[in-house]
Amino acid sequence: MKKVELNKKKKQDALLNTAYQLFTEKGFQKTSISDIVNEAGVAKGTFYLYFKDKLDIRYKLIAKKSAEVFKHAYQELQKQSIDHFEDQLIFIVDQVIGALNANPTLLKLISKHLSWGMFKNSLVEPIDDAQRNIYDIYMDLLKNSGHEFDHPEVMIYMIIEMVAGSCYNVILTGEPVSVDELKPYLYQSIRLIIQNHIL
Amino acid sequence: MKKVELNKKKKQDALLNTAYQLFTEKGFQKTSISDIVNEAGVAKGTFYLYFKDKLDIRYKLIAKKSAEVFKHAYQELQKQSIDHFEDQLIFIVDQVIGALNANPTLLKLISKHLSWGMFKNSLVEPIDDAQRNIYDIYMDLLKNSGHEFDHPEVMIYMIIEMVAGSCYNVILTGEPVSVDELKPYLYQSIRLIIQNHIL
Amino acid sequence: MKKVELNKKKKQDALLNTAYQLFTEKGFQKTSISDIVNEAGVAKGTFYLYFKDKLDIRYKLIAKKSAEVFKHAYQELQKQSIDHFEDQLIFIVDQVIGALNANPTLLKLISKHLSWGMFKNSLVEPIDDAQRNIYDIYMDLLKNSGHEFDHPEVMIYMIIEMVAGSCYNVILTGEPVSVDELKPYLYQSIRLIIQNHIL
Amino acid sequence: MKKVELNKKKKQDALLNTAYQLFTEKGFQKTSISDIVNEAGVAKGTFYLYFKDKLDIRYKLIAKKSAEVFKHAYQELQKQSIDHFEDQLIFIVDQVIGALNANPTLLKLISKHLSWGMFKNSLVEPIDDAQRNIYDIYMDLLKNSGHEFDHPEVMIYMIIEMVAGSCYNVILTGEPVSVDELKPYLYQSIRLIIQNHIL
DNA sequence: CATGAATGAGCATTCATTCAT
DNA sequence: GATGAATGAATGCTCATTCAT
């Protein structure tokens, strides 16, 4: 990468990081472009060199942060020696819940915006070639599970929605139970759903 | 109810109906208070006689519309003679999915805002005394099921989140499968979760 | 007129007057809405209660000012006892040129924006019922002229364009001749055009 | 001309042509320098190597396009054998009106900006030495007319303004009459004005 | 109870111009 | 000569809310 390109990447990162900080601090609506560029130390116009508009930076931010969480969970998985597919998936879910529980502002940000489409698109076009696509990782886990699955897409979809939906309130409000109280039932439900899809 | 009170109710209803129409047509953000009062034919100030602010009318609107959907599902249930608790719950879920599938704009509106808290509060303070509280209805179904349940709140919570989350994308985008393709897996998952909670 | 309505009229007038002052001082482009409302002593939003946007106030302003000039010229005509139609028309033209020559900033403002459509629409919906419509005045002069004219609309149209176009540069730049040098030729040309249209 | 200079000329022409296309498509205000350079395929900075600013390119563009129209009209005149000065002038006017009528976007562009000054300056410093200055052409027609004229500058000035003003609305809006309906009266008016200036 | 004129803080976005490379 | 990343001033417009009538 040339010097100029490196500089560009650096500026975009500065904007993304600043935006993350402000969005989680003050909320998306209450954060203005001015806030972001002032904090990031660039000119207003520079923002529009890197992002189409305010929604664009939120989208890119969520994609980036979500990918980080998933990637980290997968890296942790690889440090373990977990054989069964169910255990692997639950391990990843547990890692992700742990990360979000430790960082509720991140949860709030990605919360209602982490759509199926983003997951399918690997949460972001792979910035780094070496990095694996999240969806591909899931497909690999499936393949190596030694099982055949009925509609694996539907299976993962339902699990994601159940986990995401359940955890949102629980982490942010503690209602209707605490995260730790929820987990055993949630993980058991995941196991049941998986087993139900094994052919 | 006195004549004056009836008149007040009428105006509030006019505002709620207009807001519903505009929110679903143009979206919440893009709908201004001015739009609502112009369409409803009342003065700007009158709005603030009935609603605290813009968020207040959305909250009341979602509560009202959600209650309507649930109440209707329950009424349909009573017309049937379904014995088992699982079948009853799935019947209600099916009715609700049917209603939302037939009215995606309603789904969009309540979508991400139908929180556990609203459900717990019966989706709205009972406007009509005769009407039963939705949460109470659920508790009654439980009681009459002939079973004892482990953490029934957690059970219904997970089911709601799974159903709500799964159906949102599926109805609005058809991704990753169609509603009809999803249903058998979704309902089977509900059964498994319920059975897992039977003591 | 009620007190409230009077107040509204007053505010609109204040805005129009301020806008006139600023548009002629600094030009249309260089004058911002902020400039206008600050000077007029009203809030930004108030501007948009009375005018659709920046173009709207310019249109209304030109209409108002043009009407004033024409009305004044007609009033002066009535003080004279001029019999012939040609002399009447030239008297009005002379009055208008005099007014614009004395107020070149007004000329600049209305200059390129005084379209045929505005003239046809009497330069503005008659604010005052008592006031005669400019186009109607012209038609009356025609009727009382004792002549029949071939295409009187085309006749007045060509005269207006010739006069307006010729005077713009002459008044503002003195090129290619002075106003006083132009007048005899211009008025003679008007006479020729009129005679050419008498049947 | 050297190769380097040819290259410069080429780039300037590319910018002028692109600007013409965009100005007529989107309007002057709505066209940005960025639009022009992107479309022309040169860098932003390059624009400022050839034009002082945005107004400069418009001025040069109008001058160029107007000259083209006039030059073409004069070339057509030379193909005819028209003796009388009046007929020659009206032929040219007719040619120009024809050209503008066939290309209203060009009319819109030069419309309100074709000042007397530009005409006097031959609509642009002669790009090509061989090409005759428009004002000179007019003076030649006058000289060869066999007449003496009183204030020929005033005469041509009034005619230009009458023609330009009259045709603008008529071509663009069809108001108050069509071009074809206007022409006989317009041309007759031109004849009268000319005759009035013959000594 | 109802009105609706007035408010004014707030914000996204554009774009001509420069200058280091 | 050519580039294009960076600038940052400038501005039109919205809209929830209030309060005098």
Side-chain angles (χ1 to χ4, degrees), chain B:
Chain B
M1 228 185 283
K2 285 179 203 153
K3 203 172 170 184
V4 187
E5 279 179 11
L6 265 174
N7 236 319
K8 281 182 68 174
K9 185 95 191 74
K10 223 162 155 184
K11 239 167 204 163
Q12 186 173 30
D13 272 353
L15 285 166
L16 279 170
N17 290 335
T18 307
Y20 173 63
Q21 184 198 327
L22 292 173
F23 285 168
T24 50
E25 256 174 33
K26 322 170 39 172
F28 176 72
Q29 294 274 10
K30 299 267 183 183
T31 300
S32 68
I33 306 287
S34 286
D35 292 336
I36 298 172
V37 295
N38 285 341
E39 190 74 15
V42 301
K44 255 299 200 5
T46 306
F47 178 92
Y48 290 89
L49 255 31
Y50 296 101
F51 304 99
K52 198 178 121 277
D53 54 24
K54 207 181 166 189
L55 287 174
D56 188 43
I57 196 174
R58 180 172 71 180
Y59 180 84
K60 293 211 167 91
L61 190 54
I62 292 174
K64 184 190 169 196
K65 291 292 174 181
S66 308
E68 283 174 12
V69 171
F70 274 99
K71 293 285 159 76
H72 183 259
Y74 181 63
Q75 282 166 12
E76 290 300 309
L77 175 65
Q78 288 177 310
K79 292 182 191 164
Q80 319 290 321
S81 47
I82 300 176
D83 290 335
H84 295 305
F85 171 73
E86 298 166 34
D87 297 328
Q88 291 173 334
L89 197 57
I90 285 172
F91 179 85
I92 288 180
V93 166
D94 193 61
Q95 287 286 316
V96 171
I97 291 178
L100 296 177
N101 197 27
N103 191 356
T105 55
L106 176 58
L107 172 62
K108 254 189 218 159
L109 179 67
I110 67 177
S111 74
K112 309 285 190 180
H113 296 286
L114 182 51
S115 68
W116 172 249
M118 288 182 70
F119 180 76
K120 189 70 182 302
N121 296 329
S122 303
L123 296 167
V124 81
E125 55 283 1
I127 297 165
D128 198 307
D129 285 343
Q131 286 192 8
R132 304 270 308 286
N133 187 304
I134 291 177
Y135 193 69
D136 288 347
I137 291 172
Y138 171 65
M139 295 308 287
D140 265 14
L141 291 181
L142 273 183
K143 209 191 299 174
N144 298 329
S145 68
H147 297 294
E148 285 291 311
F149 290 93
D150 180 18
H151 281 75
E153 275 207 343
V154 174
M155 178 177 84
I156 190 70
Y157 177 65
M158 285 195 305
I159 292 173
I160 287 178
E161 295 295 347
M162 181 175 65
V163 172
S166 302
C167 289
Y168 187 76
N169 288 309
V170 159
I171 289 176
L172 294 182
T173 71
E175 287 289 328
V177 290
S178 72
V179 179
D180 289 330
E181 285 171 304
L182 176 69
K183 276 182 176 179
Y185 298 99
L186 189 60
Y187 296 168
Q188 183 58 20
S189 299
I190 293 175
R191 284 182 197 280
L192 292 169
I193 291 173
I194 292 173
Q195 277 157 18
N196 185 237
H197 280 255
I198 293 178
L199 289 175

Side-chain angles (χ1 to χ4, degrees), chain C residues 126-172:
Chain C
I127 299 165
D128 200 307
D129 285 344
Q131 287 191 8
R132 304 273 306 288
N133 185 305
I134 293 175
Y135 194 70
D136 288 348
I137 291 171
Y138 171 65
M139 294 308 286
D140 264 13
L141 292 180
L142 274 183
K143 208 191 301 172
N144 298 329
S145 68
H147 297 294
E148 285 291 309
F149 290 92
D150 180 19
H151 281 74
E153 275 208 342
V154 173
M155 177 176 85
I156 190 72
Y157 177 64
M158 284 194 306
I159 291 172
I160 286 177
E161 295 295 345
M162 180 176 65
V163 172
S166 302
C167 289
Y168 187 75
N169 288 308
V170 160
I171 290 176
L172 295 181

Side-chain angles (χ1 to χ4, degrees), chain C residues 29 150-151 157 166 169 185, chain D residues 29 150-151 157 166 169 185:
Chain C
Q29 294 274 10
D150 180 19
H151 281 74
Y157 177 64
S166 302
N169 288 308
Y185 298 99
Chain D
Q29 295 274 10
D150 180 19
H151 281 75
Y157 177 64
S166 302
N169 288 308
Y185 298 99

Side-chain angles (χ1 to χ4, degrees), chain C residues 25-191:
Chain C
E25 255 173 35
K26 319 171 42 172
F28 176 71
Q29 294 274 10
K30 299 269 182 185
T31 301
S32 70
I33 305 288
S34 288
D35 293 336
I36 298 172
V37 294
N38 286 341
E39 191 73 15
V42 301
K44 203 76 149 292
T46 306
F47 177 91
Y48 291 91
L49 248 34
Y50 295 100
F51 305 99
K52 201 179 119 279
D53 55 22
K54 207 182 166 188
L55 287 174
D56 188 43
I57 197 174
R58 181 173 69 180
Y59 179 84
K60 293 210 169 90
L61 191 52
I62 292 173
K64 184 189 169 196
K65 291 292 175 181
S66 308
E68 283 173 13
V69 171
F70 274 97
K71 294 287 160 75
H72 182 261
Y74 182 63
Q75 282 165 12
E76 290 300 310
L77 174 66
Q78 288 176 311
K79 291 182 192 165
Q80 319 290 321
S81 49
I82 300 176
D83 290 335
H84 295 304
F85 171 73
E86 297 167 34
D87 298 326
Q88 290 173 335
L89 196 59
I90 286 171
F91 179 85
I92 288 180
V93 166
D94 193 62
Q95 287 287 316
V96 170
I97 291 179
L100 296 177
N101 197 26
N103 191 356
T105 56
L106 175 58
L107 173 62
K108 254 189 218 159
L109 179 68
I110 67 177
S111 74
K112 309 288 189 177
H113 296 286
L114 181 53
S115 68
W116 172 249
M118 288 181 69
F119 180 76
K120 189 70 183 300
N121 296 329
S122 303
L123 296 165
V124 81
E125 56 282 3
I127 299 165
D128 200 307
D129 285 344
Q131 287 191 8
R132 304 273 306 288
N133 185 305
I134 293 175
Y135 194 70
D136 288 348
I137 291 171
Y138 171 65
M139 294 308 286
D140 264 13
L141 292 180
L142 274 183
K143 208 191 301 172
N144 298 329
S145 68
H147 297 294
E148 285 291 309
F149 290 92
D150 180 19
H151 281 74
E153 275 208 342
V154 173
M155 177 176 85
I156 190 72
Y157 177 64
M158 284 194 306
I159 291 172
I160 286 177
E161 295 295 345
M162 180 176 65
V163 172
S166 302
C167 289
Y168 187 75
N169 288 308
V170 160
I171 290 176
L172 295 181
T173 71
E175 287 287 329
V177 289
S178 72
V179 180
D180 289 330
E181 285 171 303
L182 176 68
K183 275 182 176 180
Y185 298 99
L186 189 58
Y187 295 168
Q188 183 59 20
S189 298
I190 293 175
R191 283 182 199 280

Side-chain angles (χ1 to χ4, degrees), chain D residues 35 40 57 61 88 90 92-93 107 114 120 144 148 163 174 176:
Chain D
D35 293 336
I57 197 174
L61 190 53
Q88 289 173 336
I90 286 172
I92 287 180
V93 167
L107 173 61
L114 182 51
K120 188 72 182 299
N144 299 329
E148 284 290 312
V163 171

